[in-house]
Every structure is written in C-alpha cells, then in structure tokens.
C-alpha cells in the first residue's frame, strides 16, 4: 500500500493519507474508549461478586482493544468505520450514564 | 483498506511493528535478562558468598532489626530463596530512627558490605520503567508498545500465508527471503510464548492502563483493594512485648501450604503487644504471583487470619502475572523461558532488519536512500548491536568502577546509556554496512571481556567457579562467552555479506 | 532428565512431521514417499509431540508442564529447522534416534528417583 502510493497522483496520496489517519485515530482512541466503557459496564452484567467481575472485565479489556484495532484496519471504508465507532461509543456511554444514575457504585 | 484483508493486515503488521520495534527490542532483551535477575545480582555482588537456611536467616534478621530499628513502624524481611544467598531487609522507621531503611544480610545474619550496585534489578526495572523519565510516563509508553506488539502479532498471523507449509523453512543465502524466513521461524516457533508474554505483560499493569472497571464500580478505589489483602489491625503502639519466635510460624505456614515455603515476612509494630506477623508464600512455590498469606499475633504467635478468599478471576489474574514473571519456574523451566525470550528478541530484531532489506530494493537510487530509510537503518544498528553492547558495558562497569566511588550504582547504569549512545553516534557517522560490522564486533568484544575482567578483578574466575561447582558464576561467564560468539558470528556474516546484483534478486523473487 | 526426554520426543516428532511433507522429501530422502507413508509419519509425529507433553507433565506436574511444553516445542522445532537448513540428510536419523534416546532418558529418570 505504502509502496503503491508513490506512483499515484498527489490527490490520491492525500486521500490515502487521510484514510490511514482516520483509521489510526479510530483504532487508537476509539478502541481505547470502547475497551474502557466495556470494562466499566461489564462488571454490572457478569453474575460474579463485584470485585471478581471487575477483575474479569479488566482482564478482557485488552482483547477488546486489540479486536477493535484489527477491525479498524480490516474494514473496507474508513468513514463508515468512524460512524460505527462513534455509534458504539454513544450506546455504551449512554448505558454507563444510565447505570451510573441508577446508583451502581459501591 | 484496499487490496483485501491480508494486505491491510500486512500493512498494519509492518507499521505497528516498526513504530515500536526499537523500544520493544529493549523491553524484550532486558525482560529476558530478568529471568535471571537474582543470578545477575549475585554475579554483580561477588562479595556475598555461601548459602543460608531460612531459620538461620530469620533469626539473624530479627537480631539485626531489634538492634537497628527496634521501634520501627514495620519490618519487611525477604528470606533467601533457593536462588539467592542474602536476606533483604527493609523497614519503615518509627519516631527516632530514620537514618537507613534497608540492609542486606548474609546467611548468618551479619550485614554484608556489598559494592554499590543495582544488579539484575535495574535490568528488570528498565523492562517496564525505562530510565531517566518519570515512571508513570514510562509505564504508559511501555504499555503502548505492548499493545502494538499484540496487534502486530495478531495481524502477523493473518498475514503469514503459509504458516504450516513454511513451518520448518529457513532458506539461507537468499537475501530478503532469508530474513523473512528467520523472522517467521522465530515468530511462529515461539508464538504461544509471544502471545502469552505480551498479553500477561499488559495484565501486570492492568489497573494502571484500564482503571475504569474499578472507577465505575467503586466510589473509592481503596474499597476494591481492601478485598485483596488482609487489613492491618492496628498502627498505634500500646505496651512493650517481645516478638514471638518466627521460626515456628514459618513451619506452621509451610505445613498449611503443603510444603511451600514462606519468603516475605512483614512485621507491624515490632516489640509491641499489638504486633502482627504476616507471612507470604514464596513465589517459587506456585504459579499465581499473589502468594497466599497467613497473619499471626506478633506477641503470642497465635494464628489470626488467612488472605481473603480468591475467586476464579482473581486467581486467573494472579496466575497470568505469575506466568509473565516466571518466578515460580525451576531452573530447567527458567532456561526455557530465557530461550523463548531470546527468540522474541530475535523476532523483533529480524523484523526490523527485514523492513530495510525489503525496501532497499525498491529505492529509486540505492546509494542515496531517503531520510526515513536512513533513519530506520541507523536506529536498527544502534539498537540491535548497541543495546546488548550497553548491557555488556554495565557488567564491565560493575567490575571496573572504583568501589568507593560516589553514586557508583548510578554510574554503572549511565554506562549502559553511554555505550548505547556511542553506538548510535557510530551508526550515524559510518557507512551502514561498516557500522553493522563494527558495532557488532564491539558488542562481541565487550561480552568476551566480561569473564576476563571478572577473572582479573575477583578471585571468582570461570575455572575457579567450575572447580567449586558454583553454577551461578560459571553459568554467567559461560553465557557471556556464548553471547560474544553470537555477536562475533553476526559481525563476520555482515562483513562477508555482498548485496546481490539486481537480476539475481528478481530470480530469487520468482522462485519464492 | 524427564524434560530432556520431552525435548528429544519433540525433536523426533517434528522430524517425522518434516519428513511427512512432500516438499522436503527430495532433499532429505532423495525420493518422494507415497501418501500412505506420509499419513503414517504424520501420525507418528503427532504422537511424539503428545508424548513430549506427557513427559513435561511427568517432570513438572500439569500446571508447570503445560507451560514447559511451549518452550520444549519451540526448542525442538528449532533443532529440526537447523537440521533442515544445515544437515537435511540427517533428518531421518534424527527422527529414528530421538525416541530411543528419550526412552533411555526416561529410564535414567526413573532410576534417579
């Protein structure tokens, strides 16, 4: 990909750079935010004692993060990827906010 | 991305690996050395000799602490396990005594005057705390590297087309093909280890990287941590009472833990009626890193509590950290860990070199490469040859710096970075091929010097160690000679290397 | 000693798997084997690897043995790769000699106990 871009026009190169930048941003920050929100929410769903559930969710978080990163670079469209990431974040964030209102902290 | 899954994963593999490759090499190399942390420390403190039994050690430690810090807030005694020969003491001073807070005792409980050194501990700490920068930044940087490593491994698996048909394949003298084969072999053969070590590495600092599970479920994080440990009963002194004999407590704990030994002894309020003694199971006696604990009344010796019960998730976490650190491993298993760690270092190094080998052929003019290429090429030389040379320099400095020197331990550490920096400077100033040969030769020479300088500056030379069956010293010198041989071979091959003319390269490509 | 046995079994197992791949056969054996022999070699190879795992477990217990097998397999495969690169003609010899040597190690381990 990087090698092929050399032969392309400046415009095509700019598009390719934007594509990579979008994916990198979505993967790095979006991936971390998704993993963080999952780690925050999962303990409330797992049928385990609170401290156990927190540890289990934290252990899983890196697998979630890695999955999002791989997905970000595997999927076809960078723009659609960003939409998906924002959508997932909105849903998870709303869930976290609502369960926070419901008094989920010890 | 364009060009299908395999190509986008190849792209991700290349760039995530390259971005953190140099630091990752350092993390891998120093982490690998940390499997022999205690042995390295023993080699770097040649004054400490002999072995100790746990009971002698604990009596000696209590005798010493009662003399030096009788009114301390707490004492921590780390007994010499099977691999160490000294007892480490550490104490939080109470009112009155605050001069020193740590000491090292020999088997009989006498303070030993050791040369000022951080020993293997520095290499272990560098592995996740780096140096010269605040620890918290370092841990985030290392975590970032580890995360990209995980991504690089996973995307690498997708990229590797013929993981089974190429399983045993290592083609020599084929330029790029050989580097690719070497990278594949070191990655695929060690794959279970690489995946395990990367993931469990992230887990060791998980609550730093991912504090959100705790933050979102506990108002005060301390509530969470309190479920992990037995709370301390009292911190106020009441009335004097002599400390109970600790040796019987060690035996009781050992009986309770099916023969596993206690390694760490914590005493709060020593010499007081409210004193408590907490024993922690030795890391060598079980895979989970958070060992079981037993707490006793310090005045009467009565049993008070065990550690809070641990569920499946906590045990999994503890076992993952234990797997990473390998403190449980016996010597043969420890050598396997060491070998796998070297394999990981080789994987990173061959990956870095492969990047340049692959791109050199596509350069418009190979004699005048662009800046990015030159940067990668020079950094590769400085890292792959320079960092090991720096570690050899660390060992040499340990023997050569004057014993009375101020900040001696710090200067041992500066030696690593001075050598490393010199290698970088050399790599920048010289033509790349010559720089490879010269820095690799320098690394080989420095490693070869280590046993020689050891023989000249201490009575514990390789022959004497072999005759005394001192496997720690003999093994250390032996590994240094082996590393010297490896770097000398690499230097020789780099010197003999002739870049292939273009037509031959195309032939090789068509064949592959 | 048991771990050494495990390593030898892993070497023999991987050597058998190496020889079962037809792309390696002209170099290693000077001829191609037919598919039935290949299948038998593959079976032998996997049996060797499974036996290596059991030897690890015998040496260190289930938990540690399961960790050790990862290292033993890596080391065993490396030996086969190096044989394949530098002494490919000796591969058949490695496959044959590995198991008896491993058995010898097991006997010594049993005697030492």
């Amino acid at each position: 990909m990087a090698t092929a871009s050399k032969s392309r026009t400046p415009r095509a190169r700019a598009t390719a750079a934007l594509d990579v930048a979008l994916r990198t941003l979505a993967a790095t920050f979006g991936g971390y935010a998704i993993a963080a929100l999952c780690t925050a929410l999962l303990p409330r769903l797992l049928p385990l004692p609170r401290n156990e559930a927190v540890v289990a969710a934290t252990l899983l978080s890196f697998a979630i993060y890695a999955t999002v990163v791989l997905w970000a670079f595997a999927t076809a469209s960078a723009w659609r990827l960003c939409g998906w990431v924002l959508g997932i974040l909105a849903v998870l964030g709303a869930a976290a906010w609502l369960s926070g209102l419901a008094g989920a902290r010890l | 991305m364009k060009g299908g899954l395999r190509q986008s994963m190849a792209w991700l593999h290349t760039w995530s690996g390259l971005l953190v490759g140099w630091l990752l090499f350092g993390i891998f190399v120093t982490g690998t050395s940390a499997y022999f942390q205690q042995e390295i420390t023993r080699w770097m403190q040649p004054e400490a000799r002999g072995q100790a039994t746990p009971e002698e050690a604990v009596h000696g430690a209590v005798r010493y602490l009662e003399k030096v810090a009788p009114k301390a807030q707490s004492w921590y005694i780390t007994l010499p396990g099977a691999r160490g020969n000294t007892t480490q003491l550490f104490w939080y001073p109470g009112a009155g005594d605050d001069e020193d807070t740590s000491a090292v005792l020999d088997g009989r409980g006498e303070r030993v005057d050791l040369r000022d050194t951080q020993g293997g501990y520095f290499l272990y700490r560098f592995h996740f705390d780096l140096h010269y920068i605040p620890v918290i930044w370092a841990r985030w940087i290392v975590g970032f590297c580890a995360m990209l490593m995980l991504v690089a491994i996973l995307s690498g698996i997708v990229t590797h087309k013929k993981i089974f048909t190429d399983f045993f394949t290592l083609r020599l003298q084929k330029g790029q093909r050989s580097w690719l084969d070497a990278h594949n072999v070191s990655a695929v053969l060690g794959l279970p280890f690489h995946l395990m070590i990367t993931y469990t590495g992230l887990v060791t600092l998980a609550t730093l990287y991912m504090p959100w599970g705790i933050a979102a479920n506990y108002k005060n994080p301390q509530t969470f941590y309190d479920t992990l440990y037995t709370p301390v009963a009292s911190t106020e002194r009441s009335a004097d009472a002599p400390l109970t004999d600790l040796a019987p407590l060690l035996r009781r704990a050992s009986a309770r833990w099916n023969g596993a030994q206690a390694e760490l002894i914590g005493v709060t309020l020593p010499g007081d009626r409210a004193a408590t003694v907490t024993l922690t199971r030795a890391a060598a006696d079980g895979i989970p890193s958070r060992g079981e604990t037993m707490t006793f009344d310090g005045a009467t010796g009565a049993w008070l509590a065990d550690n809070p019960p641990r569920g499946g998730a906590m045990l999994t976490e503890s076992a993952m950290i234990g797997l990473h650190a390998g403190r449980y491993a016996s010597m043969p298993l420890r050598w396997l860990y060491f070998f796998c760690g070297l394999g990981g270092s080789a994987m990173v190094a061959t990956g870095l070199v492969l990047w340049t080998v692959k791109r050199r052929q596509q350069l418009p003019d190979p004699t005048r490469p662009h800046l990015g290429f030159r940067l990668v090429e020079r950094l590769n030389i400085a890292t792959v040859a320079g960092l090991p040379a720096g570690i050899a320099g660390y060992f040499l400095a340990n023997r050569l710096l004057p014993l009375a020197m101020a900040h001696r331990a710090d200067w041992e550490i500066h030696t690593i970075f001075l050598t490393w920096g010199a290698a970088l400077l050399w790599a920048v100033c010289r033509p790349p091929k010559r720089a490879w040969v010269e820095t690799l030769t320098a690394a080989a020479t420095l490693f070869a010097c280590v046993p020689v300088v050891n023989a000249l500056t201490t009575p514990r030379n390789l022959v004497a160690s072999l005759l005394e069956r001192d496997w720690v010293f003999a093994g250390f010198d032996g590994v240094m000679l082996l590393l010297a041989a490896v770097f000398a071979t690499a230097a020789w091959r780099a010197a003999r290397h002739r870049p292939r003319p273009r037509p031959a390269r195309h032939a090789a490509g068509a064949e592959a | 000693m048991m771990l050494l046995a495990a390593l030898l079994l892993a070497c023999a197992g991987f050597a058998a798997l190496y020889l079962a791949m037809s792309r390696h056969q002209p170099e290693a054996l000077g001829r191609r084997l037919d598919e039935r022999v290949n299948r038998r070699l593959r079976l032998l190879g996997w049996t060797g690897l499974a036996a290596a795992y059991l030897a690890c477990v015998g040496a260190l217990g289930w938990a540690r043995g399961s960790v050790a097998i990862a290292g033993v397999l890596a080391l065993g495969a490396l030996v086969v790769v190096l044989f394949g690169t530098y002494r490919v003609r000796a591969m058949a010899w490695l496959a044959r000699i590995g198991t008896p040597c491993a058995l010898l190690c097991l006997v010594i381990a049993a005697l030492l106990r």
Side-chain angles (χ1 to χ4, degrees):
Chain A
M1 221 194 91
T3 49
S5 66
K6 281 188 194 97
S7 52
R8 282 194 231 131
T9 61
R11 195 186 153 76
R13 282 170 68 177
T15 319
L18 180 66
D19 180 85
V20 168
L22 275 179
R23 286 170 198 273
T24 309
L25 280 176
T28 314
F29 297 104
Y32 184 80
I34 290 176
L37 282 169
C38 286
T39 315
L41 278 170
L42 257 181
R44 296 176 194 165
L45 302 173
L46 294 173
L48 291 169
R50 179 70 59 108
N51 56 358
E52 279 284 297
V54 166
V55 172
T58 310
L59 290 182
L60 275 177
S61 62
F62 303 111
I64 299 171
Y65 195 176
T67 311
V68 175
V69 175
L70 292 182
W71 169 57
F73 285 90
T75 193
S77 156
W79 289 106
R80 212 172 311 149
L81 163 79
C82 289
W84 271 106
V85 166
L86 289 176
I88 293 171
L89 281 178
V91 171
L92 290 174
W97 183 66
L98 285 175
S99 81
L101 282 187
R105 295 167 93 194
L106 283 181
Chain B
M1 286 181 153
K2 294 183 193 79
L5 179 69
R6 188 157 268 151
Q7 259 166 310
S8 56
M9 287 295 111
W11 185 91
L12 182 60
H13 179 76
T14 303
W15 294 100
S16 59
L18 182 75
L19 183 61
V20 296
W22 302 290
L23 197 48
L24 216 44
F25 182 77
I27 295 169
F28 250 105
V29 167
T30 51
T32 303
S33 83
Y35 289 123
F36 287 114
Q37 183 191 338
Q38 295 195 31
E39 285 74 14
I40 293 174
T41 303
R42 281 176 73 169
W43 188 88
M44 292 178 82
Q45 295 177 335
E47 297 87 354
R49 308 191 79 144
Q51 280 290 354
T53 68
E55 304 215 341
E56 267 182 323
V58 76
H59 285 145
V62 170
R63 224 173 26 242
Y64 180 85
L65 284 166
E66 283 181 336
K67 202 168 62 201
V68 177
K71 295 283 180 223
Q73 195 65 37
S74 50
W75 296 344
Y76 292 95
I77 305 168
T78 308
L79 296 175
R83 293 164 57 213
N85 60 354
T86 55
T87 310
Q88 325 271 337
L89 306 181
F90 178 77
W91 60 92
Y92 284 110
D97 46 14
D98 52 1
E99 286 177 2
D100 224 347
T101 56
S102 65
V104 179
L105 306 184
D106 69 2
R108 289 179 309 283
E110 306 294 330
R111 188 179 181 131
V112 266
D113 261 324
L114 300 170
R115 62 186 63 202
D116 186 18
T117 179
Q118 297 247 9
Y121 181 71
F122 172 75
L123 297 175
Y124 160 71
R125 285 300 289 263
F126 178 82
H127 160 64
F128 56 95
D129 281 353
L130 307 179
H131 199 57
Y132 299 123
I133 59 170
V135 164
I136 207 77
W137 292 17
R139 290 185 178 184
W140 274 105
I141 294 171
V142 171
F144 179 73
C145 292
M147 198 61 223
L148 281 193
M149 172 86 185
L150 185 60
V151 168
I153 291 177
L154 295 174
S155 53
I157 296 173
V158 180
T159 308
H160 191 6
K161 269 177 272 186
K162 298 187 269 180
I163 221 160
F164 291 107
T165 39
D166 271 355
F167 191 83
F168 297 115
T169 310
L170 180 61
R171 280 155 291 199
L172 296 175
Q173 318 289 344
K174 293 228 169 132
Q176 183 186 332
R177 192 69 240 187
S178 304
W179 284 105
L180 180 61
D181 282 345
H183 185 57
N184 285 345
V185 162
S186 55
V188 174
L189 300 193
L191 188 59
F193 175 82
H194 303 324
L195 269 176
M196 179 280 280
I197 212 70
T198 310
Y199 205 89
T200 56
L202 286 164
V203 169
T204 56
L205 292 173
T207 49
L208 170 71
Y209 300 140
M210 274 295 161
W212 311 113
I214 298 169
N217 291 284
Y218 291 93
K219 284 206 177 70
N220 179 358
Q222 198 54 43
T223 325
F224 168 76
Y225 292 111
D226 284 344
T227 64
L228 297 179
Y229 305 105
T230 314
V232 176
S234 167
T235 52
E236 290 297 314
R237 287 190 172 270
S238 51
D240 285 358
L243 185 67
T244 180
D245 184 3
L246 299 184
L249 303 187
L250 291 181
R251 286 196 292 272
R252 272 172 71 187
S254 180
R256 176 76 205 277
W257 296 331
N258 300 323
Q261 302 285 318
E263 182 175 60
L264 175 68
I265 305 173
V267 181
T268 59
L269 299 179
D272 192 88
R273 216 165 50 191
T276 58
V277 177
T278 302
L279 306 182
T280 306
R281 191 258 295 146
D285 288 327
I287 293 180
S289 65
R290 269 193 248 286
E292 296 82 3
T293 64
M294 275 178 93
T295 306
F296 298 92
D297 185 309
T300 65
W303 172 84
L304 292 178
D306 285 349
N307 55 279
R310 287 169 188 150
M314 299 240 187
L315 269 177
T316 308
E317 188 222 17
S318 182
M320 283 174 127
I321 300 174
L323 273 180
H324 185 89
R327 294 205 178 90
Y328 68 93
S330 55
M331 263 312 145
L333 191 50
R334 191 163 290 281
W335 279 103
L336 285 178
Y337 261 108
F338 184 72
F339 161 74
C340 287
L342 290 182
S345 314
M347 168 180 74
V348 178
T350 50
L352 283 171
V353 173
L354 182 58
W355 191 93
T356 56
V357 173
K358 216 169 173 173
R359 270 153 198 81
R360 192 189 309 281
Q361 308 177 353
Q362 293 154 354
L363 289 172
D365 176 6
T367 53
R368 289 200 3 258
H370 55 87
L371 180 68
F373 184 89
R374 283 209 302 257
L375 187 73
V376 171
E377 193 173 40
R378 308 298 163 119
L379 279 174
N380 283 354
I381 300 171
T383 311
V384 176
L387 171 69
I391 293 174
Y394 181 55
F395 297 146
L396 287 172
N398 174 266
R399 288 295 191 260
L400 293 174
L401 293 179
L403 292 182
M405 182 178 182
H407 307 295
R408 187 179 186 282
D410 293 338
W411 277 101
E412 281 185 2
I413 293 167
H414 295 326
T415 313
I416 302 182
F417 298 99
L418 288 173
T419 318
W420 200 354
L424 178 63
L425 205 63
W426 198 263
V428 172
C429 297
R430 302 281 292 165
K433 193 193 146 180
R434 304 288 287 281
W436 268 118
V437 177
E438 286 150 5
T439 48
L440 287 170
T441 311
T445 315
L446 288 173
F447 275 115
C449 282
V450 173
V452 177
V453 170
N454 175 47
L456 294 175
T457 53
T458 73
R460 304 178 74 172
N461 59 57
L462 183 54
V463 178
S465 305
L466 283 172
L467 289 176
E468 281 176 42
R469 294 165 175 260
D470 179 352
W471 301 126
V472 171
F473 267 63
F476 188 99
D477 283 355
V479 168
M480 291 301 117
L481 291 176
L482 264 178
L483 287 173
V486 167
F487 282 102
T489 313
W492 181 65
R493 295 194 78 141
R496 229 184 32 164
H497 174 77
R498 297 272 173 278
R500 298 166 150 268
R502 283 202 168 210
R505 205 162 43 233
H506 284 304
E511 201 176 305
Chain C
M1 236 2 174
M2 285 276 260
L3 272 183
L4 191 60
L7 180 60
L8 287 165
L9 284 167
C11 288
F14 276 125
L17 289 177
Y18 181 98
L19 293 173
M21 292 163 76
S22 50
R23 62 184 288 197
H24 297 309
Q25 286 164 359
E27 278 199 314
L29 303 168
R31 66 200 164 94
R32 283 191 195 276
L33 303 172
D34 67 49
E35 192 45 39
R36 224 185 46 230
V37 184
N38 282 347
R39 223 174 302 139
R40 219 175 293 157
L41 271 174
R42 264 198 294 277
L43 183 70
L44 269 175
W46 285 106
T47 316
L49 300 189
Y53 178 51
L54 289 181
C56 280
V57 170
L60 299 168
W62 285 106
R64 286 156 204 240
S66 304
V67 183
I69 188 66
V72 166
L73 289 182
L75 201 52
L78 179 69
V79 170
V80 171
V81 167
L82 292 178
F83 262 81
T85 313
Y86 294 101
R87 290 281 179 277
V88 68
R89 288 271 160 193
M91 191 66 79
W93 171 84
L94 178 68
R96 276 197 212 105
I97 207 93
T99 313
C101 286
L103 286 178
L104 188 67
C105 286
L106 286 177
V107 171
I108 296 172
L111 289 177
L112 285 177
R113 234 173 229 185

